[in-house]
Amino acid sequence: MTPSDRITAYIDGLGGWRGKLLARLRTVIRAASSDLVEEWKWNTPVWSYQGNVLAAGAFQDHVKLNFFKGASLEDPRGLFNAGLDAKASRAIDLHEGDRLDEAALRDLIRAAVALNQKPPKPRSRSSR
């Protein structure tokens, strides 16, 4: 089973509002960047490009999008609402009935992909 097949099975197995929301989020993620690769890691859907970009998960009362380098991203429309104290990541928690600004989410995903395209900063001599 391919990672995309596993993600489809995961979404289908959820059903209800969480399955519908995650299917919609997947569509937005795929539309945001054709460079993203679907993977199945840590028993959850992950999208990557030159490293992990974001992961999605369904919980009892919410669906979470976790941006691995979210702390380094501009969030002018204030989508990040969870994990705000984490060193590197940021998340968006969506509950049943929440409205989603899909255009803002696409922009955030594109910025996350672009961040992964930047070459890593060279280590300083003192850290070697």
Side-chain angles (χ1 to χ4, degrees):
M1 184 178 282
T2 68
S4 291
D5 291 340
R6 293 203 61 180
I7 293 170
T8 299
Y10 176 73
I11 291 169
D12 291 347
L14 288 171
W17 71 269
R18 295 176 308 152
K20 288 177 185 173
L21 177 57
L22 196 48
R24 188 168 129 224
L25 292 170
R26 184 185 195 190
T27 299
V28 172
I29 292 165
R30 288 172 152 179
S33 175
S34 61
D35 291 327
L36 286 170
V37 176
E38 289 189 317
E39 299 186 88
W40 185 259
K41 297 180 179 181
W42 311 293
N43 208 28
T44 195
V46 175
W47 288 267
S48 65
Y49 177 73
Q50 297 181 7
N52 296 326
V53 175
L54 74 151
F59 298 86
Q60 188 169 353
D61 67 340
H62 68 284
V63 171
K64 180 180 290 288
L65 286 180
N66 185 63
F67 286 75
F68 289 94
K69 296 180 183 177
S72 298
L73 296 173
E74 296 280 329
D75 182 20
R77 297 200 203 146
L79 294 180
F80 291 135
N81 62 4
L84 302 177
D85 294 331
K87 186 174 183 178
S89 65
R90 293 291 183 270
I92 302 169
D93 285 355
L94 297 161
H95 297 84
E96 186 173 12
D98 282 354
R99 293 189 53 140
L100 176 63
D101 184 341
E102 291 184 11
L105 179 58
R106 277 191 302 275
D107 290 345
L108 197 57
I109 293 165
R110 288 179 184 132
V113 169
L115 182 62
N116 273 19
Q117 291 175 331
K118 292 182 181 177
K121 293 180 182 176
R123 296 187 332 179
S124 66
R125 282 191 142 352
S126 62
S127 66
R128 290 183 188 168

